[in-house]
Amino acid sequence: MSVMDIFETMDYGPAPEGASPALAWLKEHQPFNLFINNQWVQPASGQYLDSVNPANGKVLTQVASANSADVDAAVAAASAAFEKWGKTPGHVRARYLYALARQIQKHSRLLAVLEALDNGKSIRETRDIDIPLVARHFYYHAGWAQLMASELPGYQPLGVVGQIIPWNFPLLMLAWKIAPAIAMGNTVVLKPARYTPLTALKFAEIVQESGLPPGVINILTGEASQVGEALVRHPGIKKIAFTGSTDVGRSIRRATAGSGKKLSLELGGKSPFIVFDDADLDSVVEGVVDAIWFNQGQVCCAGSRLLVQENIADRLLSKLLIRMERLRVGDPLDKAIDIGAIVSSTQLQEIQRLVARGVEEGAQVWQPSWACPTDGYFFPPTLFTNVSPASTIAQVEIFGPVLVAMTFRTPAEAVELANNTRYGLAASVWSDNINLALDIAPKIKAGSVWVNCTNLFDASSGFGGYRESGFGREGGKEGLYEYVRHAWEAQLASPSGYTPTGRAANGASSSSFTDSLLAGIDDELDGLSAPETIELPAIDRTSKLFIAGKQARPDSGYSRTVYDPAGRAIGEVGDGNRKDLRNAVEAAHKASGWATGTTHNRAQILYYMAENLSVREDEFARRIVQQTGRSHVDAMSEVQTAISRLFSYAAWTDKFEGGVHRPPLRGVVLAMPEAIGVIGIACPDDYPLLGFISLVAPAIAMGNTIVVIPSQIAPLSATDSYQVFETSDLPAGVVNIVTGERDALSQVLAEHDDVDAMWYFGTAEGSKRVELASLVTGWILYRVRDKSFYALLPRSKISGFLMENSCNR
Ligand code: NAD
Ligand code: MN
């Protein structure tokens, strides 16, 4: 093509990026060994694997194939390094992270080319998106290393962390994993994806150059079945951080259940891209390009479901088809390419299979008229219309440049379609009406919602999923909690089993969890005095269950006797079963309005509960004495602490508010903590009232609705609180209580599809079973999920909006 031709046709000429420095670097290092203790170590197997360039199918180099012996060596190195690194002052760690960020910037071009060669993604994206975000991640977390002592007081690193990452953003996922882990004082063994190990190996060289202490970062290349599984099972590892497919996430949940390993899972998605009829359609078209054709569509949060308001669907689709025709697929190292190669032939075949399925299912397929290069693994941008919401291509993650379009009429229908998925990673909302956009965004069950923009990421803003998209957050302050735990948690022990009458077999059972519930009791109760010991009155009443705001008889028609420590019967409670739990979960779902009501209202109700409990504090104290045999003074302080706890969570209700992030992008990010949904809670046995209130109060304060299994041996404090709930204006269904056998009931709750999280206190065995049953949703925590809105609105519009408001006043 001559210059004159180019001038005539206005076509792009080739703009190739030179690959020779990267190829020379590969040649110099080949074959690549494992990175353990800042040394390059030959793999125990003596085996090496090819790494391929998907743009031409040719082998780039060989990398070591690690096995479990290498995992043992790497974990040993990381454990030894943790002894020192975990105690290194934050400022020192900050300097190392800062050094890593600087080195990444220094080598940015080599990294960008290597990434394009190994993964097939375009140099335009690796150069302008992947690598700058990698550096930003290390800078940002250098700051958290510096601030850890002051901003996360009482928190400790976990120890050795095993990290497993996918191939779609190889170096960026490495940064997302390693930066927060080492900033918080952990040491790391990381496994890059099989298809894309090369930038991680260049990073290892950077670690050496930056002089990090040996063993802080270890990198093992190899097969999932060898390295990945050995990491997951290794007893020396305290946490697994995983990004990848939902199926593998499930298998890791299963493998780590009961091991005490902390776990975060960033999994797949099928994210909606919602376009309202007042959106700027030309911006929308560019948004779609970024949503589904960025990184060949191999993006976990890709906007792969286009939901368009019916009256503009034809107009948008015709614009989109014109734009698709002009997209350019080809050599990733050509700077004027929009779409590079699919990572491997297997992935390409999977995309082809699902597209063929879409055609079989009767959807209409649209592709550009031009053909893709054939010497590598390429696939054209693809659009499906006439898609039924239940079809395979509308539900299954295709993980390629394939978009499915559906229409809706009303905003309510848009929300319903958007949430019609097992995933919940991200969404974009397009509308020029700020009221509509901000009304819709919180209604979508997804970790990130972009308003008039899409696929934007920043280290300052937490990212992560709901439902089968996994749990845990990466980025922002919220992401740090995945890599630390509070000092009291480190001492958690599991109480041992029960005798049939219910007392703990080891006599006075004590778990450090409940000790920690009482920690600070003196501070909280300073100045309060408890009355003298009172005689034990005999109270006999059979408590029912508490479901949907009503006292309900158990479905089984059976009761359980409650005994005092001397083995005397002191009361009866209902023996709840599967059916009662089903009703309770249903009631909890119906009460979901609790989450969308005002925080002020929730706070008021928690204060009211405290007030009503305090009116009857003596009665509650006597009940504790009766069930536990503790002194009345002691019991009274338990009641007082429970009241104080209710005050604390009432206070937090309208103060745990998230934040506004200012990423180095146009626009702002609102990070809003959001209720998880319906939470199942199994209470600890000691401190029958405080153990109950301390779990109920934070869960409902944050807008969750709950199904609670009270202490199995001392349930009467919980059943006595029905009246407290009833007199405190607590809406029906927010708190549901089912008494009975803790572990059997927990199992049912954990297996229940409509229970979003389970908070279990009991035995190690019971906890393992809950973890096994929960698969992806996990054994969750008392932290609330954060949701990010990237509201990319023109600044002028925001200030105009605020001015209008102030004029009105
Ligand atoms: P994958 O789950 O097959 O592999 C991910 C990583 O896990 C790889 O390193 C792999 O070697 C390893 N692995 C595989 N089986 C394992 C096992 N049994 N035990 C331990 N490790 C194992 O996924 P993939 O094909 O590499 O990546 C694509 C998937 O990742 C997509 O489903 C995508 O949605 C998801 N993804 C999610 C996010 C996110 O942040 N949520 C980001 C990127 C990709
Ligand atoms: Mn490769």
Side-chain angles (χ1 to χ4, degrees), residues 200-446:
L201 296 168
K202 176 63 201 170
F203 177 79
E205 205 174 71
I206 288 175
V207 169
Q208 263 179 333
E209 282 169 16
S210 311
L212 253 82
V216 171
I217 295 173
N218 305 277
I219 295 178
L220 301 181
T221 51
E223 303 275 10
S225 59
Q226 299 287 319
V227 192
E229 291 185 18
L231 273 177
V232 166
R233 283 193 312 262
H234 202 292
I237 285 182
K238 298 290 185 278
K239 180 207 161 92
I240 294 287
F242 172 81
T243 297
S245 59
T246 297
D247 285 346
V248 174
R250 267 204 195 95
S251 80
I252 293 178
R253 163 78 292 177
R254 218 174 283 131
T256 55
S259 67
K261 283 193 183 81
K262 211 171 151 122
L263 181 62
S264 51
L265 298 176
E266 301 277 4
L267 310 173
K270 187 82 179 176
S271 298
F273 185 106
I274 308 166
V275 185
F276 288 99
D277 60 5
D278 59 3
D280 169 9
L281 292 192
D282 294 314
S283 303
V284 167
V285 168
E286 291 317 302
V288 170
V289 172
D290 287 340
I292 189 67
W293 294 313
F294 165 57
N295 205 33
Q296 297 69 247
Q298 304 166 130
V299 182
C300 48
C301 51
S304 51
R305 285 186 297 144
L306 175 63
L307 312 180
V308 198
Q309 201 151 18
E310 199 177 70
N311 53 331
I312 52 153
D314 288 345
R315 208 145 49 88
L316 177 61
L317 292 176
S318 58
K319 276 177 185 281
L320 205 50
L321 292 176
I322 293 169
R323 184 70 177 93
M324 275 168 73
E325 183 67 22
R326 301 198 67 85
L327 287 169
R328 305 183 78 237
V329 175
D331 180 6
L333 287 182
D334 183 337
K335 283 170 231 158
I337 278 300
D338 295 304
I339 301 178
I342 302 298
V343 74
S344 72
S345 60
T346 323
Q347 286 296 314
L348 179 61
Q349 284 160 23
E350 181 62 6
I351 296 167
Q352 288 162 339
R353 185 182 72 81
L354 286 163
V355 167
R357 184 70 193 269
V359 174
E360 274 165 37
E361 283 178 334
Q364 162 94 48
V365 65
W366 305 86
Q367 287 177 335
S369 62
W370 42 260
C372 288
T374 49
D375 45 357
Y377 316 131
F378 292 94
F379 197 83
T382 300
L383 167 68
F384 275 106
T385 56
N386 194 24
V387 176
S388 113
S391 63
T392 309
I393 53 168
Q395 290 294 333
V396 171
E397 181 183 46
I398 299 177
F399 226 59
V402 183
L403 179 66
V404 301
M406 286 167 275
T407 57
F408 64 87
R409 286 188 186 154
T410 63
E413 214 179 296
V415 169
E416 201 175 304
L417 258 182
N419 288 334
N420 177 18
T421 168
R422 5 181 226 125
Y423 295 111
L425 196 51
S428 334
V429 176
W430 295 75
S431 165
D432 273 1
N433 177 346
I434 191 169
N435 299 324
L436 178 63
L438 295 184
D439 176 46
I440 297 298
K443 292 182 176 157
I444 294 168
K445 279 274 177 198

Side-chain angles (χ1 to χ4, degrees), residues 51-52 118 195:
S51 197
V52 169
D118 201 14
Y195 300 138

Side-chain angles (χ1 to χ4, degrees), residues 563-776:
Y563 299 93
D564 73 4
R568 284 175 306 216
I570 52 172
E572 282 186 302
V573 293
D575 194 12
N577 68 11
R578 188 176 288 273
K579 176 125 190 286
D580 300 312
L581 286 174
R582 230 175 20 230
N583 295 339
V585 171
E586 199 183 313
H589 269 284
K590 283 205 182 118
S592 64
W594 179 245
T596 46
T598 67
T599 53
H600 174 76
N601 180 46
R602 292 207 295 269
Q604 291 296 301
I605 289 173
L606 280 152
Y607 282 123
Y608 202 9
M609 280 162 55
E611 187 186 323
N612 286 323
L613 184 57
S614 104
V615 169
R616 297 166 50 188
E617 60 191 11
D618 191 54
E619 176 196 331
F620 273 87
R622 276 184 283 139
R623 188 61 113 180
I624 292 167
V625 170
Q626 190 189 27
Q627 293 176 106
T628 65
R630 302 206 323 260
S631 77
H632 191 270
V633 175
D634 200 20
M636 201 61 183
S637 67
E638 182 176 337
V639 179
Q640 293 289 357
T641 308
I643 293 169
S644 167
R645 285 286 147 88
L646 284 167
F647 261 65
S648 291
Y649 289 107
W652 274 117
T653 301
D654 54 5
K655 292 171 192 68
F656 190 70
E657 295 181 303
V660 176
H661 301 306
R662 301 289 304 269
L665 310 159
R666 194 163 58 87
V668 293
V669 177
L670 315 180
M672 299 183 8
E674 206 169 64
I676 292 170
V678 174
I679 302 184
I681 294 177
C683 296
D685 280 320
D686 13 35
Y687 304 110
L689 179 67
L690 185 57
F692 170 75
I693 293 291
S694 298
L695 303 183
V696 168
I700 64 173
M702 294 298 121
N704 299 286
T705 57
I706 60 179
V707 178
V708 193
I709 306 160
S711 160
Q712 179 173 329
I713 58 175
L716 301 177
S717 298
T719 56
D720 286 351
S721 5
Y722 297 169
Q723 280 123 338
V724 172
F725 297 135
E726 283 165 348
T727 50
S728 304
D729 295 343
L730 185 73
V734 172
V735 175
N736 304 278
I737 299 172
V738 177
T739 47
E741 197 186 324
R742 184 197 56 206
D743 282 7
L745 295 177
S746 295
Q747 178 92 14
V748 175
L749 277 181
E751 283 169 354
H752 197 302
D753 278 347
D754 285 335
V755 173
D756 300 302
M758 182 75 201
W759 197 5
Y760 172 91
F761 290 88
T763 62
E765 181 51 35
S767 144
K768 176 176 180 173
R769 273 194 274 130
V770 166
E771 289 187 334
L772 278 173
S774 69
L775 293 180
V776 163

Side-chain angles (χ1 to χ4, degrees), residues 50-54 58 60 115 117-120 194-198 343:
D50 290 341
S51 197
V52 169
N53 178 351
K58 293 202 179 110
L60 285 163
E115 199 79 302
L117 283 171
D118 201 14
N119 169 282
R194 168 74 185 82
Y195 300 138
T196 54
L198 300 184
V343 74

